[in-house]
Amino acid sequence: MSAVTDWSTAPAADIAAAFAAGAVTAHAVTEAALARIACLDGRVNAFTDVVAERALGRAGALDAARARGEAPGPLAGVPFAAKNLFDIAGLPTRAGARINRAHPPATRDAALIARLEAAGAVLVGALNMGEYAYDFTGENVHDGNTLNPHDLGHMSGGSSGGSGGAIAAGLVPLALASDTNGSIRVPSAFCGCFGLKPTYGRLSRAGTFPFVGSLDHLGPMARTTLDLALAYDALQGPDAADPVATTRPPEPVTPHLTEGAAGLRIAVAGGYFARGGEADAFEAVAHCARALGITRTVEIPEAARARAAAYLITAAEGAALHLDRLRTRARDFDPAVRDRLIAGAMLPAPFVERAQRFRRWYRTAVLALFETVDVILAPSTPCRAPRSGQATFVLDGVELPVRPNIGLFTQPISFVGLPVAAVPVRLDGGLPLGVQVIAAPWREDLALRVAHHLEREGFSRAPVAALEQA
């Protein structure tokens, strides 16, 4: 056995390497993760369900397979958890909603859970989220708010708040999340961890509860870029069960991670992405630009209009999905979610049609930028994590509601499905900030190479929050 006795906060890559070498058992690692969850999650509220019996059974099977001489998978023995809009066999798929928890339990796991387990990972539970993923704060009126592990008085970000909280608290090294308008990138920024929103259609959404079909992405979150890359590679592959999933074969990124940023054409997003936020948000981008030795600026055209169009399409598609529930179970919704869905249901059809036409133009214009640039840097959020329950903040001298405006820098990017690596930045020891590393479609490898370079050179890091001392 290894001299290391506490594997509960170890990186996924270290766990998998130790398991493959026979230095630790999957059972020991799983027990350590479950013990840490039991000890600390009451303060963070990242988990809604813990599947301890399943996890220990899976760990035992991995240990037995290794004893038989079977080759371990690339994530063998690594604990992970999934946002509770992923189907988990034996559990109702909550999607953060009161209504859903009365549904029959799922009969099989979501495709991405199955793929991580095929790579040897061990599912330990389901994670808290904003109701029906219509959230940027990490707040949930049914299951309670997920709090920021770096300061429990602040938001975790949403809607994948449980995923960000679990990673930052060291409860698991890997988490599955979703991102429609920013729900991986916002909690990655607020909680100080790495995240990947892949190209639209890159990863299968089969077995998950939808929000906006034309905008929904799934992806991993982690505390290191290597862990993020290992998880992403295990998740890739076509899936006929998701009608928008790509038929492209897997394109592994882990072998290219250490190639670094040399030779890449990198620019900072100006214009819309250089105003409307607090100074620290832009300093985080400048910090990364200095680390990469870049001074070039590009402007993403009509980004403000793209955000407005994304709002229209989100509201209209979300309302259409929930229309029957709104008619029959309106009182069971979070009022803030319900009211926005009702507003979406009343949008005039010509407004949505114009937004879709604009979307086609905008995609062409944005893709043209990548003829002269490989990667674009932009802030993830306009500020550090607001206080839990905070309703308004001041941006550019204007008081604005927090909930809809946290995603003002993420929405114009997911609107056309670009891949983004979310990079955490700690400028002064205070709460983290985040930077989006944006690439052309299907070039997750470039975004992750830049993210890994920033991590390797010490300009980006994702430490475990010191909850034990808090």
Side-chain angles (χ1 to χ4, degrees), residues 45-263:
N45 196 34
F47 280 81
T48 54
D49 304 270
V50 176
V51 290
E53 184 176 352
R54 166 180 168 154
L56 291 170
R58 168 70 173 154
L62 288 167
D63 291 335
R66 188 183 63 184
R68 294 193 298 269
E70 297 177 16
L75 293 171
V78 175
F80 77 100
K83 187 174 181 176
N84 69 29
L85 58 71
F86 286 78
D87 288 352
I88 296 174
L91 296 179
T93 304
R94 297 187 190 211
R98 178 180 180 183
I99 295 169
N100 281 37
R101 64 199 62 202
H103 289 182
T107 58
R108 59 188 298 180
D109 294 333
L112 297 193
I113 289 177
R115 287 181 179 180
L116 283 187
E117 290 217 321
V122 178
L123 180 73
V124 297
L127 297 166
N128 203 356
M129 60 176 284
E131 184 178 78
Y132 290 127
Y134 209 169
D135 166 61
F136 280 132
T137 65
E139 297 171 331
N140 186 293
V141 299
H142 313 296
D143 294 309
N145 302 341
T146 298
L147 304 178
N148 193 316
H150 296 289
D151 186 328
L152 296 172
H154 289 255
M155 296 175 179
S156 63
S159 64
S160 306
S163 302
I167 294 294
L171 306 181
V172 285
L174 293 176
L176 290 175
S178 71
D179 188 309
T180 301
N181 286 302
S183 290
I184 286 174
R185 291 160 289 163
V186 168
S188 291
F190 285 178
C191 292
C193 51
F194 292 95
L196 179 66
K197 184 199 78 63
T199 307
Y200 180 77
R202 170 67 91 172
L203 299 184
S204 173
R205 302 175 304 180
T208 60
F209 196 92
F211 174 26
V212 180
S214 70
L215 293 172
D216 289 346
H217 305 65
L218 304 179
M221 297 172 68
R223 287 190 303 277
T224 75
T225 51
L226 176 56
D227 287 0
L228 201 65
L230 288 169
Y232 171 65
D233 285 349
L235 295 168
Q236 289 189 58
D239 188 353
D242 179 355
V244 305
T246 183
T247 56
R248 296 168 70 101
E251 298 170 278
V253 298
T254 304
H256 305 288
L257 203 60
T258 58
E259 292 174 12

Side-chain angles (χ1 to χ4, degrees), residues 212-440:
V212 180
S214 70
L215 293 172
D216 289 346
H217 305 65
L218 304 179
M221 297 172 68
R223 287 190 303 277
T224 75
T225 51
L226 176 56
D227 287 0
L228 201 65
L230 288 169
Y232 171 65
D233 285 349
L235 295 168
Q236 289 189 58
D239 188 353
D242 179 355
V244 305
T246 183
T247 56
R248 296 168 70 101
E251 298 170 278
V253 298
T254 304
H256 305 288
L257 203 60
T258 58
E259 292 174 12
L264 296 181
R265 301 168 299 173
I266 306 173
V268 171
Y272 173 87
F273 292 93
R275 60 178 182 268
E278 295 182 356
D280 285 348
F282 305 121
E283 176 55 29
V285 178
H287 172 82
C288 292
R290 289 191 294 269
L292 295 163
I294 59 171
T295 58
R296 182 182 174 189
T297 300
V298 297
E299 185 158 348
I300 298 175
E302 297 287 3
R305 188 172 296 179
R307 181 179 177 234
Y311 255 113
L312 287 171
I313 292 169
T314 296
E317 287 193 31
L321 176 67
H322 293 287
L323 201 54
D324 286 344
R325 281 177 282 272
L326 289 168
R327 287 171 174 153
T328 61
R329 301 283 300 273
R331 293 182 182 277
D332 291 326
F333 280 84
D334 175 345
V337 173
R338 179 196 61 214
D339 293 351
R340 282 179 292 159
L341 290 172
I342 290 172
M346 296 190 296
L347 281 172
F351 285 21
V352 182
E353 182 184 2
R354 288 180 64 186
Q356 293 287 17
R357 286 203 306 269
F358 169 77
R359 187 181 189 179
R360 290 191 291 272
W361 175 90
Y362 178 70
R363 177 176 173 81
T364 300
V366 172
L367 292 183
L369 286 176
F370 288 100
E371 295 175 6
T372 61
V373 68
D374 297 311
V375 169
I376 300 172
L377 306 182
S380 294
T381 59
C383 60
R384 303 175 199 246
R387 294 197 65 81
S388 185
Q390 183 176 331
T392 65
F393 51 14
V394 177
L395 299 177
D396 261 5
V398 179
E399 187 173 16
L400 297 167
V402 166
R403 186 185 287 259
N405 287 291
I406 290 173
L408 64 90
F409 295 135
T410 54
Q411 286 180 284
I413 307 305
S414 43
F415 186 51
V416 287
L418 300 179
V420 184
V423 170
V425 175
R426 300 290 285 268
L427 292 176
D428 52 16
L431 286 172
L433 292 147
V435 173
Q436 298 183 84
V437 182
I438 306 160

